[in-house]
Amino acid sequence: MSDDLVSVIIPTYNRERTIRDSIESVLNQTYSNIECIVVDDCSTDNTQNIVMDIMDKRLKYIKCAHNTGPSKARNLGINVSVGEYITFNDSDSYWNKDKLEKQINYLLEHPEYGMVYCRFTYRTPKAERILPAVQYEKANLEGYIYEKLLKGNMVDTSAMLIRKEVINKVGGFSEYIKSVEDYELALRIAYEYKIGFVDEVLFENVYSSNSVNLDKKNKMDAFIYLIQQNWNKTKSMNKYELLSNFLKLTASLHDYKESNEIMKKLYMKANFSHEESGITCIMLNNLVVELFKKESLKKLISMKNKLDKYKNKYILLYGYGEIGQALLSFFEEAGIQVKGFIDQNIIWDKKYRVFLLKELPKNIDLIINTLPECQMQNKEIEKYTSARVISIMEIS
């Protein structure tokens, strides 16, 4: 076994309930030649007293003058570290006793690898799961994995053990982002080096309700930054896997209006070629449409028994796609008659009359727009009618 010094960096902020166990899980490692650097990001609770109460000469404590965020806190720890290897533990993560020993041995056996990571247990109040998921075999998790990482992150901050020379070359954590900074660093390392993997669960990460990674805006801004930084590093279609991963995350965190704005922000910031712009536009449009469908159907289901006020109204629908047809079905079940719909792509329908905007009847009471980009369309519709025009999300 090596006797090289390992620098363990623990950033913390107001974690008085968990910091002691996190530190002790590091100090109790079977590989004992370590320095444990706790960087307190200006905590206002009892964190400092708890850390100072731990009597171990390997423990170093630094308190920031003001709150800077986890990336700057970790980088401060990196800058003062003297070990040949760098690793990190979160203040709500707890290591198995042999974590460092197994990871150090791996890097000793594989001198060409720049970093090694491992599986871990992620525990929430409702569930416990192993990450990366056990269906991902070791062969797919190590080696030159940069292209695979573009499809989604597999590397947790506390899972990393990195050679100091690698950090010196690629740099520390990005201070431009406030979320998924471990993913961003893993991508930079994987672009330059082979990555190793110990196929064992070597630590536990516990869900924290105040984690910065739960902030939606931070996460979206971080993913836009990831796309900007990695878009031109790969010549394969995996760049679209990165974009797809971003879109899926957007869909899970936002409604369709927010997502549309985020997509526009991404499109403005990313340096896409003409071809890439075309593909990206299609992907963005598909996402917005799918989100709109999901939210519209959810809205309709919630309103199913509250539609009486629309009876005896002269109603037209704008758009006869999937959402328009679903709305028709709901209205029919509620005994509400729809007189027809407006859709320039439909010439004839067996059951409903099809209108063009320029030939709308004058006695319409209400037009319901069933399409996602409704605000601009509503203004266009209003040029041809005095009827009230609303989006499907405004039905109440």
Side-chain angles (χ1 to χ4, degrees):
M1 184 188 297
S2 170
D3 61 355
D4 290 333
L5 180 67
V6 177
S7 299
V8 184
I9 298 162
I10 305 177
T12 188
Y13 176 70
N14 286 350
R15 292 290 174 84
E16 61 182 4
R17 295 183 179 182
T18 61
I19 187 63
R20 179 183 292 276
D21 288 341
S22 173
I23 293 171
E24 290 181 347
S25 78
V26 170
L27 297 176
N28 291 332
Q29 290 292 297
T30 55
Y31 187 93
S32 59
N33 190 22
I34 62 175
E35 60 169 356
C36 182
I37 305 169
V38 176
V39 183
D40 186 343
D41 201 14
C42 200
S43 293
T44 57
D45 64 358
N46 200 38
T47 294
Q48 179 173 349
N49 291 334
I50 292 171
V51 176
M52 299 299 289
D53 190 50
I54 300 173
M55 305 304 294
D56 193 305
K57 64 181 182 180
R58 299 172 298 171
L59 179 62
K60 301 176 181 179
Y61 177 78
I62 302 170
K63 185 161 186 177
C64 300
H66 57 275
N67 186 261
T68 61
S71 288
K72 285 189 177 182
R74 292 190 186 103
N75 287 341
L76 175 58
I78 292 171
N79 291 338
V80 302
S81 68
V82 295
E84 294 297 316
Y85 299 90
I86 301 288
T87 187
F88 310 92
N89 194 30
D90 288 334
S91 51
D92 53 3
S93 293
Y94 315 105
W95 290 2
N96 295 3
K97 287 187 175 184
D98 55 357
K99 177 184 183 291
L100 271 186
E101 180 181 345
K102 290 183 175 179
Q103 291 188 298
I104 283 286
N105 286 341
Y106 185 100
L107 288 182
L108 288 174
E109 294 169 5
H110 301 86
E112 73 278 19
Y113 283 65
M115 180 185 85
V116 63
Y117 69 112
C118 62
R119 297 194 199 273
F120 65 99
T121 302
Y122 180 59
R123 180 160 54 87
T124 72
K126 295 182 178 180
E128 188 174 291
R129 54 180 174 157
I130 295 175
L131 297 171
V134 292
Q135 63 261 35
Y136 294 105
E137 298 179 355
K138 182 179 180 181
N140 294 318
L141 296 172
E142 65 180 359
Y144 291 111
I145 63 170
Y146 174 75
E147 301 289 344
K148 294 174 183 176
L149 276 178
L150 290 178
K151 300 178 182 180
N153 189 25
M154 305 178 287
V155 185
D156 185 81
T157 314
S158 298
M160 299 175 171
L161 177 66
I162 311 167
R163 299 184 193 275
K164 182 68 172 287
E165 64 197 64
V166 172
I167 287 285
N168 289 339
K169 179 178 179 178
V170 305
F173 290 89
S174 172
E175 297 179 7
Y176 292 103
I177 55 178
K178 298 180 180 179
S179 183
V180 298
E181 62 277 1
D182 51 355
Y183 186 20
E184 193 275 336
L185 177 60
L187 281 166
R188 271 188 284 130
I189 295 174
Y191 186 71
E192 300 283 350
Y193 297 92
K194 293 174 74 174
I195 304 298
F197 181 69
V198 176
D199 195 5
E200 295 182 48
V201 173
L202 295 182
F203 70 96
E204 177 185 63
N205 182 278
V206 180
Y207 168 86
S208 295
S209 59
N210 63 342
S211 171
V212 293
N213 280 327
L214 298 179
D215 186 287
K216 292 194 296 184
K217 183 181 183 302
N218 286 347
K219 186 163 280 192
M220 290 301 100
D221 287 344
F223 263 81
I224 290 175
Y225 179 81
L226 285 178
I227 291 170
Q228 288 177 281
Q229 297 301 308
N230 292 278
W231 191 257
N232 292 318
K233 285 185 177 181
T234 175
K235 295 180 180 179
S236 75
M237 283 298 291
N238 280 337
K239 60 176 61 178
Y240 298 108
E241 295 283 0
L242 177 65
L243 183 59
S244 177
N245 185 35
F246 171 79
L247 298 183
K248 289 175 183 175
L249 180 67
T250 301
S252 69
L253 294 180
H254 296 270
D255 63 29
Y256 88 94
K257 288 183 179 178
E258 290 175 314
S259 297
N260 205 16
E261 291 305 310
I262 290 167
M263 296 305 106
K264 291 176 183 176
K265 183 177 180 181
L266 166 66
Y267 194 76
M268 292 295 291
K269 283 192 172 185
N271 186 24
F272 295 139
S273 69
H274 181 72
E275 179 184 0
E276 291 166 349
S277 295
I279 296 174
T280 303
C281 268
I282 293 170
M283 295 178 74
L284 302 188
N285 183 67
N286 288 345
L287 172 78
V288 171
V289 170
E290 287 304 312
L291 285 170
F292 184 75
K293 287 179 182 177
K294 180 176 71 173
E295 292 185 35
S296 297
L297 291 173
K298 184 177 179 181
K299 171 78 173 181
L300 290 177
I301 291 171
S302 70
M303 295 301 302
K304 194 169 182 179
N305 298 318
K306 305 175 183 178
L307 299 174
D308 284 349
K309 68 178 181 179
Y310 293 102
K311 290 181 178 179
N312 303 316
K313 299 284 186 182
Y314 194 130
I315 298 174
L316 295 181
L317 303 186
Y318 185 88
Y320 194 46
E322 186 176 338
I323 298 302
Q325 293 175 50
L327 181 57
L328 276 175
S329 297
F330 277 105
F331 276 1
E332 286 176 349
E333 289 179 21
I336 298 169
Q337 185 178 6
V338 174
K339 302 292 185 179
F341 55 90
I342 308 161
D343 194 318
Q344 62 181 2
N345 296 314
I346 306 295
I347 299 174
W348 176 84
D349 182 83
K350 184 177 181 179
K351 186 174 181 181
Y352 294 98
R353 184 175 174 183
V354 182
F355 295 92
L356 297 176
L357 282 176
K358 61 183 179 181
E359 60 181 30
L360 294 179
K362 296 184 182 287
N363 57 337
I364 305 171
D365 295 308
L366 180 68
I367 296 175
I368 303 175
N369 190 345
T370 69
L371 303 181
E373 295 285 353
C374 56
Q375 188 172 6
M376 187 178 297
Q377 293 159 350
N378 286 0
K379 291 181 179 179
E380 182 66 20
I381 297 168
E382 288 168 351
K383 293 179 182 178
Y384 297 92
T385 181
S386 59
R388 184 185 175 207
V389 182
I390 64 171
S391 78
I392 195 169
M393 303 303 289
E394 295 176 292
I395 297 175
S396 61

